[in-house]
Amino acid sequence: MADIPSVELIEFVRPYSNEVNLYVTSISKRLDKETAQRASTVFSRFPKLQVKLLEIFSEFGLVYEVQVIDSSDYSEASEDSSVSNVNFNCSSMYAFVKFYSRRAASRAKGRISGRRLLAGQLLKVQFAQRRKGPENVQPPLYMAKCSELANYYFGFNGWTTRIVQIDRLTDQHNCDKQGKAITAMFRCVVRLEIKGCDFYCDGSGYGGDRDVIHQEKDPTKKIQLLGYAKKLAHRHAFENAFRRVIILSLDNGKVGVEINQKDIPELGSDDLKENGIINVNYFDEEPLSDSDEEQVAELEADGAN
């Protein structure tokens, strides 16, 4: 395996590479036996075990997700997390722990495999081996994951977003910049600014279906659909703004920022400087506080005047 470079690039997209996806075996069922019996949904079937694994692996970097699977029920494994040439131990469970950083995943593998005990068993860790190839275009991170990743590398006070525009589209707005048909009810533009940078990123997003909303006869349901459409447009704009950002993670713990100049639909960043790399400080992660609903209300009020 090639040496990991001293500078690692991390984008705000859903990680898929085998180099960030760890396959964990030799997990005892005893830890979550009672919890599994009380669980009401598939997603909370092994909550205690997921939390424990997250606690162990988070010592080495930010974890994107932890997926725990019962080895006696291989059908639970998703295609995305499948591995080849693996002998499953039916007396235990296995898990996939996915990082954002290749450096963090490699460090976790080296320090945990055969060295860390969980419920009396030594964990075994190796890199996952996908059966299907990588996607041509990686989808952007979900809104909550964008905030989590930004807080981890930039700090809670190291970045801000604000809604700069929200438009209610009409039948006249039937094509976007790429010539694709638009049937959405709202278009939102979110501006992302990172502390210490001389540039910003604008992300745009659409939400709602005009035909569905226009056909709704119930006034209460129509208002609910409009509210949901507006939130959806904001969420997509938020995610697309972060999609432009590339984190430069250095071996010494410092981080920098670059802007992805590739063609990304509906994103504008006209004021970017050529030198888009800066050093930012590291802050501990804190809960995210959001006042976007107030921003939307203020923008709508201004538009009505």
Side-chain angles (χ1 to χ4, degrees):
M1 182 177 175
D3 292 335
I4 297 175
S6 58
V7 178
E8 181 180 6
L9 305 183
I10 300 172
E11 297 185 73
F12 284 80
V13 293
R14 297 173 212 172
Y16 71 89
S17 169
N18 289 332
E19 294 177 318
V20 299
N21 194 9
L22 298 179
Y23 171 62
V24 186
T25 57
S26 191
I27 303 173
S28 173
K29 285 186 177 181
R30 290 179 299 177
L31 186 64
D32 257 56
K33 185 177 180 181
E34 294 182 3
T35 310
Q37 292 173 350
R38 296 195 301 267
S40 58
T41 68
V42 172
F43 299 103
S44 61
R45 186 172 177 183
F46 307 112
K48 187 175 179 181
L49 181 52
Q50 284 179 314
V51 170
K52 188 62 180 176
L53 287 171
L54 180 62
E55 178 184 319
I56 291 172
F57 283 86
S58 291
E59 296 177 18
F60 306 96
L62 184 63
V63 174
Y64 171 71
E65 69 177 358
V66 176
Q67 182 185 16
V68 179
I69 301 165
D70 190 334
S71 58
S72 61
D73 184 9
Y74 180 62
S75 62
E76 286 187 38
S78 66
E79 263 188 52
D80 181 62
S81 298
S82 61
V83 293
S84 59
N85 301 322
V86 173
N87 294 320
F88 296 104
N89 179 359
C90 291
S91 65
S92 63
M93 295 183 287
Y94 65 99
F96 292 95
V97 179
K98 192 177 292 184
F99 287 86
Y100 294 94
S101 164
R102 291 178 292 119
R103 185 186 296 124
S106 179
R107 188 165 55 241
K109 175 182 175 295
R111 297 187 184 179
I112 294 177
S113 186
R115 299 183 180 184
R116 291 290 291 269
L117 284 167
L118 181 61
Q121 293 186 189
L122 284 172
L123 295 174
K124 298 178 182 179
V125 185
Q126 65 186 50
F127 287 107
Q129 300 173 18
R130 273 192 177 75
R131 287 175 180 162
K132 68 175 187 176
E135 302 173 26
N136 292 328
V137 179
Q138 289 177 260
L141 280 180
Y142 293 116
M143 189 176 188
K145 293 292 186 181
C146 287
S147 299
E148 184 180 54
L149 186 58
N151 285 343
Y152 186 84
Y153 282 100
F154 304 145
F156 177 69
N157 295 317
W159 61 279
T160 60
T161 60
R162 60 188 178 92
I163 298 172
V164 296
Q165 183 180 345
I166 186 162
D167 298 320
R168 183 165 177 168
L169 305 179
T170 65
D171 293 336
Q172 296 177 348
H173 303 91
N174 50 9
C175 287
D176 62 12
K177 294 179 181 178
Q178 285 71 41
K180 296 180 181 179
I182 297 176
T183 61
M185 176 61 75
F186 290 100
R187 178 179 182 268
C188 179
V189 177
V190 167
R191 178 160 297 172
L192 166 65
E193 296 177 284
I194 299 173
K195 188 175 181 180
C197 291
D198 294 329
F199 52 78
Y200 59 82
C201 295
D202 282 353
S204 59
Y206 296 90
D209 187 306
R210 286 202 301 273
D211 292 336
V212 171
I213 295 175
H214 288 325
Q215 292 171 10
E216 178 57 58
K217 302 300 182 182
D218 188 323
T220 301
K221 290 184 178 179
K222 195 165 190 175
I223 291 174
Q224 292 175 344
L225 286 173
L226 287 169
Y228 177 75
K230 198 181 301 179
K231 290 180 179 179
L232 191 62
H234 168 244
R235 194 194 81 189
H236 288 161
F238 185 100
E239 293 167 352
N240 285 329
F242 273 102
R243 193 178 172 191
R244 280 267 186 212
V245 177
I246 301 175
I247 299 168
L248 279 67
S249 175
L250 281 68
D251 281 335
N252 60 8
K254 298 291 185 179
V255 298
V257 181
E258 275 193 350
I259 297 300
N260 188 347
Q261 300 288 1
K262 293 181 181 179
D263 183 29
I264 298 178
E266 287 296 326
L267 292 181
S269 50
D270 298 330
D271 294 341
L272 295 182
K273 301 292 182 67
E274 291 185 3
N275 181 12
I277 304 177
I278 59 159
N279 285 328
V280 297
N281 294 324
Y282 177 87
F283 293 86
D284 289 333
E285 183 177 341
E286 298 179 22
L288 181 65
S289 177
D290 196 350
S291 60
D292 292 314
E293 290 291 338
E294 296 178 7
Q295 295 179 29
V296 171
E298 290 174 2
L299 284 167
E300 289 185 331
D302 291 340
N305 295 333

